[in-house]
Structures are given as structure tokens and as C-alpha cells.
Amino acid sequence: MFHAEPDVVVVGAGPVGLFAALNVASRGHRVRIIDKEWRPTAHSYALALHAASLELLEEFALLGPVLAASRRVRHVGFYDGGDRFADVDLRALHRDHSFVAVLRQDVLERLLVDALAARGVKVMWNHELAQMQPVADGVDLTVDKLAREGLGYAVEHGEWVVQRTRAMKPAFVIGTDGHRSRVRQAIGIDWPEVGPVQHFAVFEFRTDAELGDEMRIMLHDGLQNVVWPMPDGYCRWSFEVPGGEASTVSRIKERSDVQLGGVGYPEIEPEALGEFLRVRAPWFRGSVEDLRWRLLVRFERRRAAGMGDGRIWLAGDSAHMTGPVGIQSMNVGLLEARDLAQAICDVLEGRGGSESLAAYEAARRAEWGFLLGIDRPVYAPPGTDARIAGLVPGIESLLPAAAGDLEALLAQIGLAV
Ligand SMILES: Cc1cc2nc3c(=O)[nH]c(=O)nc-3n(C[C@H](O)[C@H](O)[C@H](O)COP(=O)(O)OP(=O)(O)OC[C@H]3O[C@@H](n4cnc5c(N)ncnc54)[C@H](O)[C@@H]3O)c2cc1C
């Protein structure tokens, strides 16, 4: 039994959940954050923070360590073979820090874990949400504590089993438990597909090429490809693989399978990288060293039919999914974490009522309506460069920004909303 019931339980300690918990804790409320995994992610996944996200982190004095660990990207260059045909200048954003900070997701998560610990909040790793039931004055939760049970001689070869089941009764639950969200399922929110699925062959390696301060979007036969310069001389390449071909790529290469957070991703053979680079990035002349990632990843486009209800609310991947190029899922998720935590704290403090949460839902659904091309379509006025016009619809998810920043960046290349 816990000594005092928490005001808020956050389910899922990815970047969005960690940031939500930090916001609640900083308002002085009791928060518990649980995650079924045994530690933060050890990979880069979403690898960049938008200019708007940097301002969110600054509120918690996290900007210094973030910038120390990151590489700054100030331009988005659009390439057609070797031809750089358009430039988006992030420095034109009217922000305190008008650039995108590229850093590994695991570095960000560790900074957030430490910031929470400094406020006396420890992530409860190995704790999985089992059941959830809204009641009049809160939410009844049962949480399973998982432990590894050795099979014979070595614990590393063991299986995760439920060691203990605990009950909690917070006033509110924040579901940041990713795209397979149990919280979303428990409250019966639909999870419709709203756009095409994309598959990306993702490679991360060190190179001696000078990639500068530019994220490069490379067009090839209507497929999206992107390279990000990363800290310490690494770079991340994501090459879109057509749907039919993706199944062939995964079938041929599926000798090994990488488990990330309980999900298996087929590994791609290293030789495939050379062919992708030759055809889709003919300008690239650099070395390929320490190839630390080579996965085939599937990205769906979904928007939850609602952001929550009553005392149970969603943020981050539990509520939406999009393509990977503009790193919008995590970044917009961080903003949601802040807004949702503030709305809930307002209710806890008697400063707001259900209208604060209704406003959260309306704003988030409108934002994702735009980002996913459902509402407020982007259009190319007459005279727009044909290659830029060819990116409509769909360009909403390619640029590393959201909301007004995204509209301003689209305007730089002649597109309007
Ligand atoms: C291989 C890979 C590559 C990616 N590349 C990109 C990219 O290039 N660009 C991009 O924008 N995004 C990318 N992403 C997606 C990006 O990682 C997510 O958008 C981001 O992590 C979302 O954060 P989140 O906090 O909402 O959810 P998550 O990071 O998914 O965190 C959810 C957490 O909830 C926990 N959890 C789940 N169920 C339960 C439960 N029942 N009880 C307790 N805990 C639970 C999980 O263990 C997890 O820690 C990639 C993802 C993967 C896996």
C-alpha cells in the first residue's frame, strides 16, 4: 500500500509521459509515473526537438543540458537527385531559439528522469497498468509489478512474471502509453486510420561527410527520404520503401529481429544501404562507419476519436501517429503533456472545471486535423515550383514544426493553408 494516494497517475514513461509528470510535480501535486519496461529507451527513435519544444524545456532549466548534447539544424533543404531546389530557413521563426536541436531520444528521456528525481518523483519501472475503472471521485487502477523469473540457471534467460498487484486511486490518469495504449482501449476510444501507412528503412551511422546544419529531404519517385546530421559525427537516414516492397525487404532480411520495447523490427542487411545511397542521395560521398541501426519501421497515420473523458486523458502517441520525417509525434506530444498537465492541475486547484479539459481536447484535435491533412488543407497557389506543388498533400508531416510555426515555414516555399 502507498501512504498517500497520488493526485495523478501517468501511465507510460516515454518522453511525453515523463514531461507530463514533470509538469504536474512542478505544480506541487502528487504524481506517480509507471512504465512496464525496466528502464528508459536505449535508442534514438525520435531524434529532434522543434524550436517550440526548446521553449517548453527551458521552463524546467533543461535547455542547457539539451543544447550541450545536441546538434543544431537551421535549414531544411529539398533535393531532387543532386539538385537542391528549395530551402526552408528555420532561423526565420520568431522563437527564442530558432533552430531544431538534434539529440537522441534516450538522452532526452534520461534528462527528464533526472529532473523528476530532483523533484522527488521516481519512475516506477516494471509496473504495468492492468485494469482501470473510472469512479465518481477518481479512477480505480490495478498495476502489476513485473519481475524476472529465472529459468533454471540465469536470470537473463528468465521470463517477466507478475510479482505483485497493487491498487491505486488517483483523481486523474494521464495515458501516455504509446500507440498500443491500454488506457485508450480501456475507455473505448476509437483509433481510426486517417492516412496511408508508410514504411521506412532507417540507418544510423558515423560518417566523415560534412552534413552542416541542414536536414535534407530527398525526393525520389514520389517517395520521401530524409537525412539528419546528428551529434558526434553520426547521421540518421530514413528511406521510404513502397508498401509492397516493404514486405519483400522484411521477408528477405528477416533473419534477425530487433526487439524495441516489446515490438519486433526486421533488421535490414548492411549492403542495402549502399544501394539506397547511390540511387536516392547521389551527392553523398562520405564514409559509412559503425552502422548502429538498420531497421525497417512501419508508421501509421491515426488520430484517436477523442483525447479522453472525465478523469482519464491521453497525450502523445496514445492519441495520434504520423510519419517520421518532421518528428511531430513526440514534439507535439510534449506540448500536449504541458497543456494537459496544466488543465488537470487547474481542476485540482479549483481554478478550472471540465471546460479546461474540453478546451484541451478541441485544440489537440484541431492541431492533428491540420498535421494529418484531415482539415485545413495546404494548397499550392498558381506559380508554385512544380516539385514543391507535387508534395501537396502530405507536406504537413515533413517539416520539423507544428501550428503557426509550420504555417510560417510552408509560406517560405510558397504554400498556403
Ligand atoms: C524504431 C523507431 C523509430 C522511430 N523513428 C522516429 C522518427 O524518425 N521520427 C519520429 O517522429 N518518431 C519516430 N519514432 C516514434 C517516436 O519514438 C514516438 O513518437 C515517441 O516515442 C512518442 O512518445 P510517447 O511518450 O508518446 O510514447 P512512447 O515513447 O511510445 O512511450 C510509451 C511508454 O508507455 C509504456 N507502456 C505501454 N503500455 C504500458 C502499460 N500498459 N503500462 C505501463 N506502461 C506502458 C511503454 O513501455 C513506453 O515506455 C520511432 C519509433 C521507433 C520505435
Side-chain angles (χ1 to χ4, degrees):
M1 272 298 290
F2 295 112
H3 298 300
E5 289 293 357
D7 300 310
V8 178
V9 167
V10 178
V11 181
V16 178
L18 290 166
F19 196 55
L22 189 55
N23 275 272
V24 174
S26 74
R27 291 268 294 253
H29 297 285
R30 287 187 305 268
V31 59
R32 288 194 188 281
I33 175 164
I34 63 167
D35 198 290
K36 64 186 170 79
E37 297 293 329
W38 61 283
R39 58 167 188 172
T41 175
H43 293 278
S44 45
Y45 301 163
L47 79 172
L49 287 162
H50 294 175
S53 301
L54 297 175
E55 287 173 21
L56 294 178
L57 295 171
E58 196 166 18
E59 289 172 32
F60 295 94
L62 286 170
L63 194 61
V66 160
L67 294 184
S70 63
R71 179 161 172 172
R72 298 174 194 197
V73 159
R74 297 186 174 84
H75 292 270
V76 182
F78 284 84
Y79 286 75
D80 180 0
D83 181 19
R84 185 179 189 275
F85 65 92
D87 173 66
V88 171
D89 189 343
L90 301 172
R91 294 171 304 176
L93 290 175
H94 297 293
R95 291 278 176 190
D96 295 347
H97 310 281
S98 291
F99 52 84
V100 165
V102 182
L103 87 169
R104 294 168 54 110
Q105 185 174 326
D106 53 323
V107 175
L108 173 65
E109 288 184 18
R110 276 164 213 280
L111 288 171
L112 292 170
V113 167
D114 291 348
L116 273 172
R119 286 169 173 77
V121 181
K122 277 199 179 145
V123 179
M124 297 169 68
W125 301 110
N126 293 335
H127 283 75
E128 180 169 23
L129 172 69
Q131 283 182 346
M132 202 179 63
Q133 180 67 42
V135 288
D137 53 347
V139 186
D140 281 337
L141 298 183
T142 51
V143 173
D144 290 337
K145 179 163 189 330
L146 308 173
R148 227 164 208 199
E149 193 169 75
L151 290 179
Y153 33 99
V155 173
E156 293 81 66
H157 297 154
E159 281 180 359
W160 290 101
V161 295
V162 176
Q163 189 184 52
R164 202 167 51 232
T165 296
R166 295 175 155 178
M168 297 185 201
K169 190 177 176 190
F172 283 94
V173 169
I174 296 180
T176 47
D177 50 343
H179 63 283
R180 295 177 167 185
S181 172
R182 192 170 283 180
V183 175
R184 185 187 65 237
Q185 290 165 28
I187 49 176
I189 292 184
D190 280 349
W191 184 227
E193 271 200 80
V194 295
V197 173
Q198 287 178 297
H199 293 87
F200 284 85
V202 181
F203 299 88
E204 224 171 80
F205 57 87
R206 200 172 54 233
T207 184
D208 59 7
E210 185 38 73
L211 294 170
D213 63 354
E214 179 177 74
M215 159 202 180
R216 300 178 188 211
I217 297 179
M218 298 153 277
L219 307 182
H220 175 78
D221 281 350
L223 298 171
Q224 300 172 357
N225 308 280
V226 60
V227 56
W228 285 91
M230 295 184 72
D232 304 325
Y234 280 82
C235 52
R236 158 92 66 92
W237 296 74
S238 300
F239 301 103
E240 186 181 356
V241 183
E245 226 173 273
S247 61
T248 328
V249 171
S250 60
R251 215 173 33 247
I252 297 170
K253 318 294 181 193
E254 216 165 11
R255 276 180 225 136
S256 52
D257 200 78
V258 179
Q259 283 293 126
L260 302 174
V263 185
Y265 294 90
E267 251 192 356
I268 302 171
E269 283 175 0
E271 298 73 50
L273 173 60
E275 183 65 6
F276 277 123
L277 288 173
R278 191 182 65 73
V279 175
R280 304 201 193 178
W283 48 267
F284 182 74
R285 298 277 175 272
S287 61
V288 176
E289 301 157 48
D290 185 24
L291 181 53
R292 65 185 180 192
W293 261 51
R294 43 189 178 90
L295 301 180
L296 184 77
V297 187
R298 175 187 163 93
F299 290 88
E300 296 175 6
R301 281 181 164 69
R302 291 182 187 266
R303 181 178 67 162
M307 296 295 291
D309 195 18
R311 294 177 173 274
I312 302 170
W313 293 87
L314 305 174
D317 275 22
S318 64
H320 44 73
M321 292 179 81
T322 185
V325 181
I327 322 282
Q328 292 168 339
S329 305
M330 179 186 76
N331 281 279
V332 178
L334 293 175
L335 182 75
E336 287 164 1
R338 196 271 313 262
D339 288 355
L340 178 55
Q342 288 194 348
I344 286 176
C345 290
D346 284 350
V347 176
L348 289 169
E349 293 160 18
R351 299 172 190 217
S354 58
E355 72 285 350
S356 314
L357 290 157
Y360 166 76
E361 170 160 87
R364 297 297 90 219
R365 281 187 59 74
E367 171 83 288
W368 282 102
F370 172 43
L371 295 176
L372 289 162
I374 304 168
D375 317 313
R376 299 179 65 223
V378 173
Y379 68 93
T384 308
D385 179 294
R387 287 174 292 193
I388 292 291
L391 290 168
V392 177
I395 193 165
E396 302 87 341
S397 68
L398 296 186
L399 293 171
D405 284 358
L406 179 56
E407 288 184 47
L409 297 183
L410 289 167
Q412 282 190 28
I413 47 175
L415 298 175
V417 180

